Amino acid sequence: LLTQDQRQQLEVVLVRPRNPLNIGAAARAMANFGLNNLTVVAPWEPVWREAKSAVGAPEILANARLTQTLAEAVAHSTLVLGTGTSTTRKAEQPVLSLPDLPPYIDGQLTQQGRIAIVFGPEKHGLTREDLALCHAMIEVPTDSVQPSMNLGQAVAVCLYEAVIHCGISDISSLPHSTPATAERLDLLTSLIDEVMEAARYSPASMRQSNLHDLRLMLRRFAPNEPDTRRLLGLFRRILWRLNNLTKTS
Amino acid sequence: LLTQDQRQQLEVVLVRPRNPLNIGAAARAMANFGLNNLTVVAPWEPVWREAKSAVGAPEILANARLTQTLAEAVAHSTLVLGTGTSTTRKAEQPVLSLPDLPPYIDGQLTQQGRIAIVFGPEKHGLTREDLALCHAMIEVPTDSVQPSMNLGQAVAVCLYEAVIHCGISDISSLPHSTPATAERLDLLTSLIDEVMEAARYSPASMRQSNLHDLRLMLRRFAPNEPDTRRLLGLFRRILWRLNNLTKTS
């Protein structure tokens, strides 16, 4: 069971939700499990208005943060967990079965990290591009005949596992290292992208695809903040050198 | 994880549901977790019709069993688990926190028992009388500020715990004793009630209340089938003797 403080380290992100009832249900599940940090990414305006104005709408909706992109929504997060099923799409990142989640959550809690659990839109879930911003994909081990869960129910089940089955009583004795936020990883990604460009690493037609693979790889590495600082320093130096050499040549 | 066979030992009972959307959501969660035995107790006819005829209604609804009473719904069950929160009502039977459920489910599975998980109506949940037919009450450890879960979400969370976190791979080596069905416990209850009456154990005004306490006690005892047969034999004998003595006196 997560403590009240630990629950503050956990956030929910809904990406482009389409059904006001599901938004309400997601918020209610958050209230049931004592969470209150909700971010909604690019909701359709009438849908969002209807969800917020519904009779008995949870207070969480009034205080929700709105962003235009998922990158912005998780910028300050240190562990970003996308949800989905690997039946619909071959995952490009580690896939975690929901009951195996606790050690990962607990690991982040010990490092004072911020965890975002990200849910995609009702019909098709998170896109490949959305998932490239996630460290891992969580999969609820549903039946192959009916694998796809209703959004409100998926949120309830994932939060139940994360809040009730996770949590460690004494974290003070564990080793501590500051994890890197998603924003820092994005900074590193952009910098490496610039370096690849400057180094003429790949033809222009491959740039988007290389960037995508880079995002996935960095999240798999899960560098901590000191690692990230070191890598940023290294690639800044490389970029400076490349540009300098290009100018003088 | 329960095997396909073990999932057949698990049933869902919805008591007097009021919202067709919730009935649909409950059925969908069952499909997600590979369950297909649903019983609906005394639904309001228009509600039930609407739920069954909804676009994309799960097949489970078409095959659902309808009963007039909860007693009838769980007659063949050997472990009846009511759901609720002890914040709304002081429980009269053992209360199990949902994450503590697995050993109880696994215990029944080893005995080839049939487990019913019972959900009450949306507004107020199961009544005291409903709960007297349950061996234990399962409580989802929700936040005290917003303890009450949406019905569809409660079903999803309970089935997730029961299907995904339960299940034992090798049950053949464990001791085996046939559990008593709810119907057999009801038979025993009625017989003891008759005995109490014949013995003038309690004034008429106390009869209902004593019967209620008796139901609770027998479920707490959880007699197996041989126990039940023995007790039935004993109380039949007592009743015969009491009636006989009354006649001759």
Side-chain angles (χ1 to χ4, degrees):
Chain A
L1 197 71
L2 298 194
T3 64
Q4 290 303 327
D5 282 351
Q6 289 169 341
R7 289 179 203 207
Q8 293 302 319
Q9 294 176 250
L10 199 60
E11 304 183 12
V12 171
V13 180
L14 300 180
V15 179
R16 301 180 297 280
R18 297 295 298 187
N19 181 335
L21 289 177
N22 286 337
I23 299 174
R28 177 154 175 189
M30 289 180 65
N32 286 146
F33 294 115
L35 302 184
N36 43 43
N37 298 314
L38 172 65
T39 303
V40 184
V41 177
W44 197 43
E45 172 55 28
V47 162
W48 179 238
R49 209 181 319 123
E50 188 180 334
K52 282 215 296 189
S53 61
V55 176
E59 214 180 282
I60 288 167
L61 292 182
N63 301 324
R65 196 163 61 106
L66 280 186
T67 67
Q68 276 314 303
T69 65
L70 175 57
E72 215 183 315
V74 299
H76 61 290
S77 305
T78 57
L79 179 64
V80 182
L81 300 167
T83 54
T85 56
S86 41
T87 48
T88 41
R89 172 177 299 119
K90 175 95 183 62
E92 301 178 286
Q93 48 283 108
V95 176
L96 266 177
S97 187
L98 183 60
D100 299 330
L101 182 63
Y104 296 85
I105 297 276
D106 290 345
Q108 281 294 312
L109 294 174
T110 63
Q111 300 175 20
Q112 307 298 320
R114 293 193 73 81
I115 304 151
I117 305 185
V118 183
F119 298 87
E122 287 87 347
K123 284 252 165 181
H124 301 292
L126 296 170
T127 64
R128 191 164 161 265
E129 289 68 37
D130 293 331
L131 283 167
L133 299 173
C134 300
H135 293 86
M137 185 172 95
I138 308 176
E139 186 175 43
V140 183
T142 46
D143 195 66
S144 55
V145 176
Q146 173 66 278
S148 159
M149 291 191 77
N150 161 275
L151 178 57
Q153 290 175 309
V155 172
V157 165
C158 289
L159 296 187
Y160 169 73
E161 183 68 51
V163 170
I164 306 303
H165 279 291
C166 298
I168 27 186
S169 43
D170 183 19
I171 62 166
S172 55
S173 61
L174 288 159
H176 181 98
S177 97
T178 314
T181 64
E183 190 169 36
R184 297 283 283 170
L185 287 191
D186 279 345
L187 185 64
L188 181 57
T189 307
S190 308
L191 180 61
I192 299 178
D193 179 50
E194 259 188 282
V195 167
M196 294 196 301
E197 176 81 358
R200 304 197 177 161
Y201 165 77
S202 49
S205 65
M206 293 293 291
R207 188 167 176 184
Q208 281 311 311
S209 152
N210 284 335
L211 193 59
H212 181 79
D213 292 343
L214 179 63
R215 283 201 185 95
L216 288 169
M217 187 187 68
L218 283 178
R219 276 152 184 90
R220 211 164 52 240
F221 290 172
N224 60 27
E225 177 49 31
D227 296 333
T228 305
R229 208 178 310 130
R230 197 166 299 119
L231 289 169
L232 283 169
L234 172 64
F235 283 105
R236 273 193 195 118
R237 174 72 205 178
I238 294 171
L239 186 63
W240 179 84
R241 183 82 183 133
L242 284 171
N243 288 340
N244 216 270
L245 288 172
T246 312
K247 257 183 260 164
T248 57
S249 71
Chain B
L1 196 73
L2 298 194
T3 64
Q4 291 302 327
D5 281 352
Q6 288 169 342
R7 289 177 204 206
Q8 294 301 319
Q9 293 175 250
L10 201 59
E11 304 184 11
V12 171
V13 180
L14 300 181
V15 179
R16 302 179 296 280
R18 298 295 298 187
N19 181 336
L21 290 177
N22 286 337
I23 299 174
R28 175 153 176 190
M30 290 180 65
N32 286 146
F33 294 116
L35 303 183
N36 43 43
N37 299 313
L38 172 65
T39 303
V40 184
V41 177
W44 196 43
E45 172 55 28
V47 162
W48 179 237
R49 211 181 319 122
E50 189 179 335
K52 281 216 295 188
S53 61
V55 176
E59 215 180 281
I60 288 167
L61 292 182
N63 301 324
R65 196 165 59 108
L66 281 185
T67 67
Q68 277 314 303
T69 65
L70 176 57
E72 215 181 314
V74 300
H76 61 290
S77 305
T78 57
L79 179 65
V80 182
L81 299 167
T83 54
T85 55
S86 42
T87 48
T88 41
R89 170 176 301 119
K90 175 97 183 62
E92 301 178 288
Q93 47 282 107
V95 176
L96 265 177
S97 187
L98 183 60
D100 298 329
L101 182 63
Y104 296 85
I105 297 275
D106 290 346
Q108 281 295 311
L109 294 174
T110 64
Q111 299 175 20
Q112 306 300 321
R114 293 193 72 82
I115 304 151
I117 306 185
V118 183
F119 298 88
E122 287 87 348
K123 284 252 165 180
H124 301 291
L126 295 170
T127 63
R128 192 164 163 264
E129 290 67 36
D130 294 331
L131 283 167
L133 299 172
C134 300
H135 294 88
M137 186 173 94
I138 308 176
E139 185 175 44
V140 182
T142 46
D143 195 68
S144 55
V145 176
Q146 172 65 278
S148 158
M149 290 191 77
N150 160 275
L151 178 56
Q153 291 175 308
V155 172
V157 165
C158 290
L159 296 187
Y160 168 74
E161 184 68 51
V163 171
I164 306 302
H165 279 291
C166 298
I168 28 186
S169 43
D170 184 18
I171 62 167
S172 56
S173 61
L174 288 160
H176 183 97
S177 97
T178 314
T181 64
E183 191 169 35
R184 295 283 284 170
L185 287 192
D186 279 344
L187 184 64
L188 180 58
T189 307
S190 307
L191 179 60
I192 298 179
D193 178 51
E194 259 190 282
V195 168
M196 293 196 302
E197 176 81 359
R200 303 195 178 161
Y201 165 77
S202 48
S205 64
M206 292 294 290
R207 190 167 175 184
Q208 280 313 310
S209 151
N210 284 336
L211 192 59
H212 181 80
D213 292 343
L214 178 63
R215 283 202 185 94
L216 288 170
M217 189 187 66
L218 283 177
R219 276 152 184 91
R220 212 163 52 238
F221 290 172
N224 59 27
E225 177 50 31
D227 296 334
T228 306
R229 207 178 311 130
R230 197 166 299 118
L231 289 168
L232 283 168
L234 171 64
F235 282 105
R236 274 194 195 114
R237 175 72 204 177
I238 293 170
L239 186 63
W240 178 85
R241 184 83 182 131
L242 284 170
N243 288 340
N244 215 269
L245 287 172
T246 312
K247 257 183 258 164
T248 58
S249 71

